[in-house]
Amino acid sequence: MENFEKDMAEVLEVDTVELDDELSGFDCWDSLTILSIIALADENYSVTLSAAEINDAKTIGNLKKLIISKK
Amino acid sequence: MEDERDSYLLLTGASSGIGKVMASILSKEYNIILNGRNEERLESTEKMCGKERKILIWTFDLNNINDIASTLSEFIEKNQIRISHFVHCAGYMKMLPLKMVTIDNISNTLNTNFISAVIIIKTLMQRKINNLAMKNIVFISSNISNMGAKALSVYGASKGALDSLMRCLAVELAPHVRVNSVLPGGVKTEMTESIYENEEVLKRMEATYPLGLGFPEDIAEAVVFLLSEKSRWITGQQITVDGGRTINVTA
């Protein structure tokens, strides 16, 4: 998970992200970004996420915890 | 000289999803070669197949496009067979928004969905390898081939390429070989399972399919028709089998 923050910054089209950043606060937050996170979790961590789980996570930190819990 | 070898139908993507069901239906009528990446899964497909006809297993990953021609011709020679029918059901799909698309994803998708089909047909059309045995080709395309959808740009392009190939070869290989495509809509298989797990998506999909969601058998029956003599005057066509999804313009 060492590159998680870097990968998320790329998906969210910003330079850096913090663990307490709210997902819905990013300018590019939309259904395609959620699909991108689903693809990222599958590709990099072999974890299957649903759109609802990602929305429920609310922050970058919770999303990271969710992926770790499913690994 | 008369060719005494047995004729077979080659089915790619036979280890799962639509291909697995297709194998069980087609094996009642044709000697069949089951192709897929995983031998164990192909053996499980074999158990579902009819026992009246012969069954061969060709374990090979179609992503290895450079080895298809040599491996397939060796397979034909080793088993002393001919291939008269080809159904290309192998498919690789990853839903990726444009910003997540990579060269690897493009290559894997095009290799499995499109390039492998070209190379297989080229190999099967060679007189020295298959002695003009080819009669009929059916591609499993997708209803996205003529449409658009988010996060399916590369997959959609691969199916569009496959259907262009189908039309051109239908002309080039006539009158000896007919070539057609079946364009399925949403069918529940292992490949699409993650999409259908989402209840919200499932509800939305059910609402947009006038005839409801389909089953692999619905696709297989269209293929049976296109392979049969009942469709002897049909070539170069896309047959959409999607419960009316793509003709539905209800807002």
Side-chain angles (χ1 to χ4, degrees):
Chain A
M1 294 294 287
E2 59 194 55
N3 287 326
F4 177 75
E5 282 91 333
K6 193 169 153 271
D7 292 340
M8 284 303 293
E10 186 136 346
V11 168
L12 294 163
E13 298 176 46
V14 291
D15 292 334
T16 54
V17 297
E18 300 297 332
L19 290 178
D20 54 6
D21 283 346
E22 294 249 346
L23 295 170
S24 60
F26 288 93
D27 286 344
C28 72
W29 187 252
D30 60 9
S31 62
L32 281 176
T33 302
I34 293 175
L35 270 175
S36 300
I37 294 171
I38 293 172
L40 180 89
D42 178 41
E43 192 76 22
N44 295 5
Y45 310 110
S46 304
V47 164
T48 306
L49 295 180
S50 72
E53 284 174 320
I54 294 170
N55 276 318
D56 288 347
K58 296 215 166 27
T59 64
I60 301 275
N62 287 341
L63 189 59
K64 188 174 183 178
K65 276 187 216 153
L66 176 68
I67 293 173
I68 291 170
S69 75
K70 291 187 131 200
K71 269 177 81 155
Chain B
M1 204 171 78
E2 194 63 27
D3 194 312
E4 302 277 329
R5 295 185 187 189
D6 284 333
S7 281
Y8 278 75
L9 179 151
L10 169 60
L11 174 67
T12 63
S15 52
S16 58
I18 294 175
K20 194 169 184 173
V21 174
M22 193 108 64
S24 73
I25 292 175
L26 294 177
S27 61
K28 293 186 183 117
E29 232 176 296
Y30 301 90
N31 297 326
I32 195 165
I33 302 162
L34 306 174
N35 161 258
R37 284 177 296 179
N38 182 311
E39 185 137 12
E40 233 170 83
R41 281 160 63 187
L42 289 172
E43 283 165 0
S44 122
T45 300
E46 186 182 13
K47 290 197 184 91
M48 287 171 57
C49 287
K51 303 282 172 275
E52 306 86 347
R53 301 280 183 156
K54 295 174 190 166
I55 302 169
L56 291 172
I57 285 182
W58 177 35
T59 310
F60 182 82
D61 184 351
L62 297 177
N63 195 21
N64 300 324
I65 46 172
N66 291 312
D67 297 332
I68 292 175
S70 57
T71 314
L72 179 58
S73 50
E74 277 164 25
F75 182 88
I76 291 170
E77 191 50 38
K78 189 183 109 203
N79 289 289
Q80 290 286 298
I81 55 168
R82 297 292 179 214
I83 296 175
S84 52
H85 297 72
F86 170 42
V87 178
H88 187 50
C89 192
Y92 178 88
M93 183 189 80
K94 240 190 191 152
M95 284 187 79
L96 289 182
L98 185 62
K99 65 179 167 188
M100 298 297 285
V101 168
T102 60
I103 301 280
D104 270 356
N105 167 254
I106 299 170
S107 305
N108 292 342
T109 310
L110 285 178
N111 285 352
T112 303
N113 298 2
F114 170 65
I115 298 178
S116 68
V118 187
I119 304 299
I120 287 172
I121 296 167
K122 183 184 168 189
T123 307
L124 295 180
M125 290 309 294
Q126 287 175 47
R127 194 184 289 255
K128 278 199 286 188
I129 296 170
N130 201 32
N131 196 31
L132 303 178
M134 276 309 286
K135 288 184 184 148
N136 202 313
I137 298 166
V138 177
F139 294 150
I140 305 305
S141 176
S142 160
N143 67 354
I144 199 179
S145 177
N146 306 320
M147 303 289 159
K150 285 179 185 176
L152 283 172
S153 53
V154 175
Y155 178 74
S158 75
K159 294 301 192 179
L162 190 63
D163 284 341
S164 281
L165 174 74
M166 177 274 292
R167 282 184 285 260
C168 290
L169 290 183
V171 176
E172 185 169 331
L173 305 183
H176 305 293
V177 185
R178 293 193 293 117
V179 193
N180 293 286
S181 292
V182 172
L183 282 62
V187 174
K188 202 174 171 188
T189 68
E190 286 101 324
M191 187 173 89
T192 56
E193 199 168 17
S194 60
I195 303 171
Y196 290 89
E197 270 171 8
N198 185 330
E199 223 167 274
E200 187 193 325
V201 175
L202 192 64
K203 259 192 201 149
R204 202 173 63 218
M205 288 187 77
E206 275 169 348
T208 52
Y209 281 77
L211 299 183
L213 290 173
F215 298 98
E217 287 80 0
D218 297 318
I219 311 307
E221 291 303 338
V223 173
V224 168
F225 169 69
L226 287 172
L227 291 174
S228 78
E229 276 302 294
K230 287 180 183 165
S231 62
R232 59 164 288 276
W233 212 40
I234 300 176
T235 196
Q237 301 303 309
Q238 297 174 314
I239 311 290
T240 301
V241 184
D242 71 350
R245 170 69 179 88
T246 47
I247 50 92
N248 184 5
V249 292
T250 309

